[in-house]
Amino acid sequence: MTTENTRTYDVIVIGAGPVGENVADRTTAAGLSTVIVESELAGGECSYWACEPSKALLRPALVRADAAHMPGIAPAVAGPLDVDAVLAHRDRMSADWKDDGQVEWIKSAGIDLLRGHGRLAGEREVTVETPDGDTVRLRARHAVAMCTGSRAALPPLPGIEQMRPWTSREATSARQVPRRLVIVGAGVVGVEMATAWQALGSEVTLLAREDGLLPRLEPFAGERVTERLREAGADVRIGVSVVDAKRAEGGDSDDTGEVRILLSDGSELNADEILFATGRAPRSEDIGLDTVGLEPGDWLTVDDSLTVTAVPGEWLYAVGDVNRRALFTHQGKYQARVAGSVIAARARGERLDTGRWAPHSSTADVEAVPGVVFTDPTIASVGLTVREAERAGRDVEVVDYEIGHLAGAVQYRPEYRGRARILIDRDRQVVVGATFVGPGVEELVYSATVAITGEVPIERLWHAVPAFPTLSEVWLRLLETRRDS
């Protein structure tokens, strides 16, 4: 039996991932009644199929890599990883794909949760099809926030669905280690999964269509990761793409059959599984965009206040991956904090402050997006790369330093190899970009982010004293290198 009822809230949020949860938290804290609509697990992609499980798979591999270079410990880690223990750890970090804890937090924050598929149904209206077959109509007094995220984008290969390929979801939730794994795509997902599954015992082949790994980062980052993957036994192939791939029929119900792959250079590969890590697409094809004049399946364009620009009335917001500004969980949560403040200010009739670095502007999406690639070595970056600065016509000074020269680096890992780079705006004399490559550098990215967002003058950075012996001394060495040159 299908019934329909109507409920009214100040704010409706579609999507209960980290982004949607943070929007709802901010609007609820501002005194606005808020409901979150979720069709899958509360906690979203990051909690169950992305950030948490992928880092749980990677962490044992990175700890072993550090220990294998440390006197007194190396012999103890000479054997293979305990696969069952690593996968069990991954399961715990993914909450065994149960969202009880997330639901409890949502309720404790005073937010209503409605399970079901939510779709826009016109201005400030949302219909929700519940798992019971009911239809609930929601009306928003002030705002609807689309926080539906993104999904893996598969290439247009004939018969790709019949091939039953892995996407990022299968790669992070697999129950066993494939003997042979081919990974198509050399971005963050591709290189992280190559690192993880190679360490767990797969024979990994990584295919990069472009001329190197991690093409959006500084070239030396991808070069170093390529070197380490090959040293670990992975087959890294540059400048090739998949022309055709088919899965052979298995011999029984438990045998899915091998995947036979033809490459653009004419070579062939056989694999037990093939992972396509070839980009992301918005989860917007079935959320009612047509009811407000938008194209289903498109990314949602927003201004710096996260307001959808093509819809009049300043009531529709798109936050997180679905707006394509910066596809990182942490950046989506940042946007959520801004969007929550914007919604609350408009609900109170206040004038927005949308200047650069102002409370109602997501300036960091443009100028200071931090990211970490959890490979061996680790890569941490924020702000501009040299290529991006050149394309933007920015006059920057480039300063490089070998991190392995630091006493703290040698303490961290004897024979440490790494590289740090900062970009300095010549006119303003502030840092506008930073990239660090080496074990443990993930903890350097926040200091670089503060330097960029705070627009700290280079002369003031001389007074920021790093503790000895730590990796953070690289900041002093970068300044000294610049001075001495």
Side-chain angles (χ1 to χ4, degrees), residues 341-364:
S341 297
V342 169
I343 293 168
R346 283 177 171 156
R348 292 190 293 261
E350 298 173 357
R351 184 184 180 90
L352 295 187
D353 182 357
T354 56
R356 188 165 171 269
W357 302 117
H360 303 134
S361 181
S362 53
T363 308

mmCIF file of all heavy atoms in Angstrom, residues 341-364:
data_model
loop_
_atom_site.group_PDB
_atom_site.id
_atom_site.type_symbol
_atom_site.label_atom_id
_atom_site.label_comp_id
_atom_site.label_asym_id
_atom_site.label_seq_id
_atom_site.Cartn_x
_atom_site.Cartn_y
_atom_site.Cartn_z
ATOM 1 N N SER A 341 26.527 28.079 7.191
ATOM 2 C CA SER A 341 26.534 29.479 7.640
ATOM 3 C C SER A 341 25.733 30.362 6.697
ATOM 4 O O SER A 341 25.022 31.275 7.132
ATOM 5 C CB SER A 341 27.974 29.988 7.725
ATOM 6 O OG SER A 341 28.711 29.273 8.692
ATOM 7 N N VAL A 342 25.830 30.098 5.397
ATOM 8 C CA VAL A 342 25.082 30.874 4.408
ATOM 9 C C VAL A 342 23.579 30.675 4.593
ATOM 10 O O VAL A 342 22.799 31.638 4.614
ATOM 11 C CB VAL A 342 25.506 30.477 2.977
ATOM 12 C CG1 VAL A 342 24.560 31.078 1.946
ATOM 13 C CG2 VAL A 342 26.939 30.923 2.702
ATOM 14 N N ILE A 343 23.169 29.416 4.720
ATOM 15 C CA ILE A 343 21.739 29.118 4.896
ATOM 16 C C ILE A 343 21.203 29.788 6.156
ATOM 17 O O ILE A 343 20.120 30.388 6.149
ATOM 18 C CB ILE A 343 21.524 27.594 4.949
ATOM 19 C CG1 ILE A 343 21.836 26.966 3.581
ATOM 20 C CG2 ILE A 343 20.098 27.264 5.379
ATOM 21 C CD1 ILE A 343 21.934 25.447 3.607
ATOM 22 N N ALA A 344 21.958 29.695 7.242
ATOM 23 C CA ALA A 344 21.511 30.300 8.503
ATOM 24 C C ALA A 344 21.421 31.814 8.384
ATOM 25 O O ALA A 344 20.459 32.438 8.870
ATOM 26 C CB ALA A 344 22.471 29.915 9.627
ATOM 27 N N ALA A 345 22.402 32.451 7.740
ATOM 28 C CA ALA A 345 22.389 33.911 7.590
ATOM 29 C C ALA A 345 21.197 34.362 6.759
ATOM 30 O O ALA A 345 20.507 35.329 7.103
ATOM 31 C CB ALA A 345 23.694 34.375 6.947
ATOM 32 N N ARG A 346 20.941 33.651 5.664
ATOM 33 C CA ARG A 346 19.797 34.031 4.834
ATOM 34 C C ARG A 346 18.481 33.814 5.554
ATOM 35 O O ARG A 346 17.536 34.598 5.402
ATOM 36 C CB ARG A 346 19.832 33.250 3.517
ATOM 37 C CG ARG A 346 20.860 33.793 2.531
ATOM 38 C CD ARG A 346 20.933 32.972 1.263
ATOM 39 N NE ARG A 346 21.768 33.648 0.261
ATOM 40 C CZ ARG A 346 22.390 33.034 -0.737
ATOM 41 N NH1 ARG A 346 22.275 31.703 -0.875
ATOM 42 N NH2 ARG A 346 23.126 33.715 -1.596
ATOM 43 N N ALA A 347 18.396 32.743 6.351
ATOM 44 C CA ALA A 347 17.169 32.487 7.110
ATOM 45 C C ALA A 347 16.892 33.602 8.113
ATOM 46 O O ALA A 347 15.725 33.919 8.398
ATOM 47 C CB ALA A 347 17.277 31.141 7.829
ATOM 48 N N ARG A 348 17.967 34.217 8.620
ATOM 49 C CA ARG A 348 17.814 35.327 9.573
ATOM 50 C C ARG A 348 17.681 36.671 8.882
ATOM 51 O O ARG A 348 17.553 37.705 9.548
ATOM 52 C CB ARG A 348 19.020 35.349 10.519
ATOM 53 C CG ARG A 348 19.105 34.163 11.465
ATOM 54 C CD ARG A 348 20.169 34.372 12.536
ATOM 55 N NE ARG A 348 21.508 34.387 11.974
ATOM 56 C CZ ARG A 348 22.348 33.352 11.977
ATOM 57 N NH1 ARG A 348 21.955 32.196 12.516
ATOM 58 N NH2 ARG A 348 23.561 33.449 11.457
ATOM 59 N N GLY A 349 17.739 36.667 7.555
ATOM 60 C CA GLY A 349 17.628 37.916 6.813
ATOM 61 C C GLY A 349 18.880 38.754 6.841
ATOM 62 O O GLY A 349 18.830 39.973 6.596
ATOM 63 N N GLU A 350 20.026 38.136 7.122
ATOM 64 C CA GLU A 350 21.284 38.880 7.212
ATOM 65 C C GLU A 350 21.953 38.998 5.849
ATOM 66 O O GLU A 350 21.785 38.150 4.967
ATOM 67 C CB GLU A 350 22.232 38.177 8.188
ATOM 68 C CG GLU A 350 21.710 38.097 9.607
ATOM 69 C CD GLU A 350 22.589 37.240 10.505
ATOM 70 O OE1 GLU A 350 23.568 36.661 10.003
ATOM 71 O OE2 GLU A 350 22.281 37.149 11.709
ATOM 72 N N ARG A 351 22.727 40.027 5.685
ATOM 73 C CA ARG A 351 23.497 40.233 4.464
ATOM 74 C C ARG A 351 24.711 39.306 4.483
ATOM 75 O O ARG A 351 25.416 39.216 5.498
ATOM 76 C CB ARG A 351 23.950 41.696 4.376
ATOM 77 C CG ARG A 351 24.694 42.056 3.093
ATOM 78 C CD ARG A 351 25.180 43.502 3.169
ATOM 79 N NE ARG A 351 25.887 43.873 1.958
ATOM 80 C CZ ARG A 351 25.317 44.408 0.887
ATOM 81 N NH1 ARG A 351 24.005 44.648 0.904
ATOM 82 N NH2 ARG A 351 26.023 44.727 -0.176
ATOM 83 N N LEU A 352 24.975 38.647 3.368
ATOM 84 C CA LEU A 352 26.114 37.736 3.311
ATOM 85 C C LEU A 352 27.424 38.491 3.184
ATOM 86 O O LEU A 352 27.486 39.554 2.563
ATOM 87 C CB LEU A 352 25.977 36.781 2.122
ATOM 88 C CG LEU A 352 24.811 35.792 2.124
ATOM 89 C CD1 LEU A 352 24.952 34.831 0.958
ATOM 90 C CD2 LEU A 352 24.713 35.036 3.439
ATOM 91 N N ASP A 353 28.460 37.918 3.770
ATOM 92 C CA ASP A 353 29.825 38.422 3.610
ATOM 93 C C ASP A 353 30.558 37.421 2.725
ATOM 94 O O ASP A 353 31.030 36.385 3.188
ATOM 95 C CB ASP A 353 30.505 38.537 4.976
ATOM 96 C CG ASP A 353 31.919 39.114 4.880
ATOM 97 O OD1 ASP A 353 32.383 39.364 3.751
ATOM 98 O OD2 ASP A 353 32.549 39.298 5.943
ATOM 99 N N THR A 354 30.644 37.714 1.429
ATOM 100 C CA THR A 354 31.189 36.761 0.458
ATOM 101 C C THR A 354 32.521 37.218 -0.133
ATOM 102 O O THR A 354 32.902 36.787 -1.226
ATOM 103 C CB THR A 354 30.192 36.527 -0.691
ATOM 104 O OG1 THR A 354 29.866 37.786 -1.291
ATOM 105 C CG2 THR A 354 28.920 35.865 -0.176
ATOM 106 N N GLY A 355 33.241 38.060 0.566
ATOM 107 C CA GLY A 355 34.555 38.469 0.092
ATOM 108 C C GLY A 355 35.556 37.328 0.190
ATOM 109 O O GLY A 355 35.251 36.237 0.676
ATOM 110 N N ARG A 356 36.764 37.595 -0.285
ATOM 111 C CA ARG A 356 37.808 36.584 -0.250
ATOM 112 C C ARG A 356 38.126 36.206 1.197
ATOM 113 O O ARG A 356 38.377 37.053 2.030
ATOM 114 C CB ARG A 356 39.037 37.161 -0.962
ATOM 115 C CG ARG A 356 40.166 36.192 -1.202
ATOM 116 C CD ARG A 356 41.139 36.778 -2.225
ATOM 117 N NE ARG A 356 42.351 35.967 -2.343
ATOM 118 C CZ ARG A 356 43.454 36.159 -1.635
ATOM 119 N NH1 ARG A 356 43.501 37.137 -0.736
ATOM 120 N NH2 ARG A 356 44.505 35.375 -1.806
ATOM 121 N N TRP A 357 38.110 34.907 1.485
ATOM 122 C CA TRP A 357 38.335 34.341 2.815
ATOM 123 C C TRP A 357 37.278 34.793 3.832
ATOM 124 O O TRP A 357 37.495 34.729 5.043
ATOM 125 C CB TRP A 357 39.720 34.679 3.352
ATOM 126 C CG TRP A 357 40.854 34.231 2.494
ATOM 127 C CD1 TRP A 357 41.769 35.028 1.877
ATOM 128 C CD2 TRP A 357 41.222 32.890 2.146
ATOM 129 N NE1 TRP A 357 42.673 34.273 1.153
ATOM 130 C CE2 TRP A 357 42.362 32.944 1.311
ATOM 131 C CE3 TRP A 357 40.701 31.629 2.461
ATOM 132 C CZ2 TRP A 357 42.986 31.803 0.794
ATOM 133 C CZ3 TRP A 357 41.314 30.498 1.946
ATOM 134 C CH2 TRP A 357 42.440 30.587 1.125
ATOM 135 N N ALA A 358 36.115 35.210 3.372
ATOM 136 C CA ALA A 358 35.048 35.664 4.264
ATOM 137 C C ALA A 358 34.231 34.461 4.763
ATOM 138 O O ALA A 358 34.315 33.360 4.209
ATOM 139 C CB ALA A 358 34.150 36.666 3.549
ATOM 140 N N PRO A 359 33.427 34.651 5.795
ATOM 141 C CA PRO A 359 32.689 33.522 6.392
ATOM 142 C C PRO A 359 31.735 32.818 5.431
ATOM 143 O O PRO A 359 31.455 31.637 5.609
ATOM 144 C CB PRO A 359 31.908 34.188 7.540
ATOM 145 C CG PRO A 359 32.665 35.425 7.862
ATOM 146 C CD PRO A 359 33.255 35.896 6.573
ATOM 147 N N HIS A 360 31.227 33.535 4.436
ATOM 148 C CA HIS A 360 30.235 32.948 3.535
ATOM 149 C C HIS A 360 30.802 32.682 2.146
ATOM 150 O O HIS A 360 30.065 32.661 1.159
ATOM 151 C CB HIS A 360 29.017 33.876 3.432
ATOM 152 C CG HIS A 360 28.393 34.174 4.756
ATOM 153 N ND1 HIS A 360 28.030 35.446 5.156
ATOM 154 C CD2 HIS A 360 28.093 33.356 5.808
ATOM 155 C CE1 HIS A 360 27.520 35.409 6.375
ATOM 156 N NE2 HIS A 360 27.554 34.149 6.791
ATOM 157 N N SER A 361 32.102 32.439 2.069
ATOM 158 C CA SER A 361 32.749 32.191 0.786
ATOM 159 C C SER A 361 33.717 31.018 0.899
ATOM 160 O O SER A 361 34.567 30.989 1.785
ATOM 161 C CB SER A 361 33.516 33.440 0.331
ATOM 162 O OG SER A 361 34.131 33.236 -0.913
ATOM 163 N N SER A 362 33.603 30.055 -0.014
ATOM 164 C CA SER A 362 34.479 28.878 0.011
ATOM 165 C C SER A 362 35.734 29.146 -0.813
ATOM 166 O O SER A 362 36.024 28.456 -1.786
ATOM 167 C CB SER A 362 33.738 27.651 -0.505
ATOM 168 O OG SER A 362 33.163 27.898 -1.778
ATOM 169 N N THR A 363 36.496 30.137 -0.399
ATOM 170 C CA THR A 363 37.697 30.565 -1.112
ATOM 171 C C THR A 363 38.726 29.454 -1.232
ATOM 172 O O THR A 363 39.431 29.351 -2.236
ATOM 173 C CB THR A 363 38.322 31.776 -0.390
ATOM 174 O OG1 THR A 363 37.323 32.772 -0.188
ATOM 175 C CG2 THR A 363 39.462 32.375 -1.201
ATOM 176 N N ALA A 364 38.833 28.619 -0.219
ATOM 177 C CA ALA A 364 39.850 27.568 -0.225
ATOM 178 C C ALA A 364 39.679 26.596 -1.382
ATOM 179 O O ALA A 364 40.644 25.962 -1.822
ATOM 180 C CB ALA A 364 39.842 26.808 1.099
#
